[in-house]
Amino acid sequence: MAEHVVIIGSGPAGWTSAIYTARANLCPIVFEGAITEENRQVGTLPLGQLALTTEVENFPGFPKGDLSHYLRSALDEENHYLADMHHQEGCSGPELMHLMRKQAQNFGTRIETDDIVKVDFSKRPFVLHSASGQRIEAQSVIIATGARANYLGLPSEDAYKNRGVSACAVCDGALPRFRNKPLVVVGGGDSAVEEADYLSKFGSVVYMIHRRDQLRASKIMADRAIANPKINIQWNTEVDEVIGDDATGVKGVRLKSTTGDGKTIDLDATGMFVAIGHTPNTRFLEGHLEMTSKKYLKWTVPFRTNTSVEGVFAAGDVADDYYRQAITAAGSGCMAAIDAERWLASQG
Ligand code: FAD
């Protein structure tokens, strides 16, 4: 018999969809992805991108600091349960994701640690095939497979991820290690300018490292970067190595010229933000669902999570190359669950 709803993906979007559909008695199955070396290499292990980071400071409900005093003063004698929460200080990315997974499981979500590698949406029930050979029939599907940040691929960049190397200024820019310190942004497109502009609020100077002699960004964005006195564009250069040590993490970058003159320079910096785009995890969906030119899934109805196939919904970064935040992914996961539930109800 076909499942009511199958959710593909295990980030905030997938688990939120699972929590909502499980509570609506739809008995969801989540394919959370497989634990393989290939998935580790590309950064798509179960629990999503947030599991790759350390601290999460902007997901509501997890303030930092000792909350015992605040909670004590906020409660009356009866509300003892709040007093027990004082240990909850901030949250790490992996912790947050384990909590979401546990919450989905508590409501009866079935979890398969497996990748979906092939789909057939041409007829109903839909058919999904997993990497381990499972064949699953589904009345509705929620795709929440996310998008992974592109990195330069340098060993030194890998060594300092979460210790100065980041792919998300909005997520990490406000951390203490970056405040009033020189920072580096790699890239020359609109998102690189956005990241540099945002980081200029925190850093003492933001070096943009760009391989060419003009930015790829739109004119309005390029003008914004050039006009910002805190942004210093290093034209015709690329990062050759991230410099740092175990104790402090990133201390600078070595740049090499792209003009072939062999020149290198070292810049001091406590952070390197890589802004060279994202790759949505949609390869297995090519030819089955409409996508944008950058291979993100297309939402086909305004303010809904419908895709180009009726009964198939998309949530999170796999369809959103604009906000790319855990809370927005969770929000659209909730929307997809409600959209799927109402669509199933409409099918009788
Ligand atoms: P993802 O989190 O990308 O999860 C999708 C998962 O689905 C994949 O990891 C994989 O396990 C699984 N999957 C993929 N393909 C398949 C398949 N074919 N079959 C089965 N499973 C599959 N946001 C914040 O709000 N705050 C932060 O502090 C923050 N820090 C970040 C730090 C880093 C280093 C990065 C990379 C991102 C950070 N973000 C942060 C962004 C945030 O992590 C994402 O916006 C969010 O995780 C997107 O959630 P998602 O559910 O759409 O997908």
Side-chain angles (χ1 to χ4, degrees), residues 8-15 31-34 43-59 97 114-117 144-149 151 162 165-168 170-172 278 281 284 315-318 323-330:
I8 314 173
S10 54
W15 297 123
F31 276 81
E32 65 174 350
T44 57
L45 282 176
L47 300 181
Q49 294 169 79
L50 222 50
L52 305 173
T53 192
T54 46
E55 257 181 291
V56 179
E57 293 193 325
N58 55 8
F59 199 88
M97 295 318 302
D114 202 353
D115 282 325
I116 293 295
V117 290
T145 48
R148 53 193 192 266
Y151 286 91
N162 292 324
V165 170
S166 169
C168 181
V170 175
C171 312
D172 297 334
H278 287 72
N281 301 315
F284 69 109
D317 288 12
V318 72
Y323 296 108
R324 288 198 292 254
Q325 293 296 295
I327 189 69
T328 49

Side-chain angles (χ1 to χ4, degrees), residues 88-340:
Q88 203 165 284
E89 293 180 22
C91 204
S92 80
E95 259 171 8
L96 182 57
M97 295 318 302
H98 276 287
L99 290 171
M100 287 190 200
R101 185 182 193 271
K102 179 77 183 137
Q103 195 172 351
Q105 213 170 16
N106 284 352
F107 288 115
T109 301
R110 207 174 105 200
I111 300 171
E112 296 286 340
T113 307
D114 202 353
D115 282 325
I116 293 295
V117 290
K118 203 171 136 196
V119 297
D120 182 357
F121 294 151
S122 63
K123 55 185 181 311
R124 291 196 218 134
F126 305 124
V127 180
L128 311 173
H129 296 271
S130 81
S132 74
Q134 297 191 66
R135 179 186 183 279
I136 305 99
E137 293 190 353
Q139 292 170 34
S140 70
V141 176
I142 296 175
I143 296 163
T145 48
R148 53 193 192 266
N150 298 333
Y151 286 91
L152 298 170
L154 301 169
S156 55
E157 170 194 57
D158 206 32
Y160 295 114
K161 276 184 189 162
N162 292 324
R163 292 191 301 148
V165 170
S166 169
C168 181
V170 175
C171 312
D172 297 334
L175 293 175
R177 69 166 292 129
F178 302 127
R179 295 217 174 217
N180 300 314
K181 298 283 176 8
L183 304 173
V184 161
V185 169
V186 183
D190 278 353
S191 24
V193 174
E194 257 168 36
E195 303 264 292
D197 202 38
Y198 181 79
L199 289 169
S200 69
K201 294 185 198 131
F202 306 105
S204 54
V205 55
V206 180
Y207 297 106
M208 280 188 78
I209 314 303
H210 189 48
R211 310 188 60 187
R212 293 191 253 160
D213 60 2
Q214 52 179 313
L215 295 174
R216 248 184 322 106
S218 56
K219 177 154 176 6
I220 187 165
M221 293 299 283
D223 288 349
R224 190 191 293 181
I226 289 160
N228 186 327
K230 278 175 121 186
I231 296 180
N232 174 319
I233 306 176
Q234 299 283 310
W235 304 107
N236 299 313
T237 54
E238 62 187 6
V239 176
D240 195 32
E241 193 185 340
V242 183
I243 304 163
D245 61 42
D246 283 349
T248 40
V250 173
K251 292 165 89 175
V253 291
R254 178 156 305 139
L255 304 182
K256 73 173 180 211
S257 164
T258 54
T259 59
D261 60 13
K263 282 192 185 145
T264 63
I265 58 162
D266 289 357
L267 295 177
D268 287 340
T270 62
M272 180 176 95
F273 290 80
V274 187
I276 54 172
H278 287 72
T279 304
N281 301 315
T282 53
R283 215 164 74 198
F284 69 109
L285 299 166
E286 279 180 32
H288 300 279
L289 293 174
E290 269 182 41
M291 296 183 191
T292 67
S293 58
K294 291 181 186 164
K295 308 281 185 200
Y296 285 83
L297 295 185
K298 265 193 191 168
W299 278 318
T300 53
V301 180
F303 306 112
R304 297 284 182 274
T305 58
N306 303 53
T307 67
S308 54
V309 172
E310 213 188 300
V312 180
F313 303 88
D317 288 12
V318 72
D320 170 19
D321 73 340
Y322 187 73
Y323 296 108
R324 288 198 292 254
Q325 293 296 295
I327 189 69
T328 49
S332 67
C334 158
M335 291 163 69
I338 294 174
D339 289 340

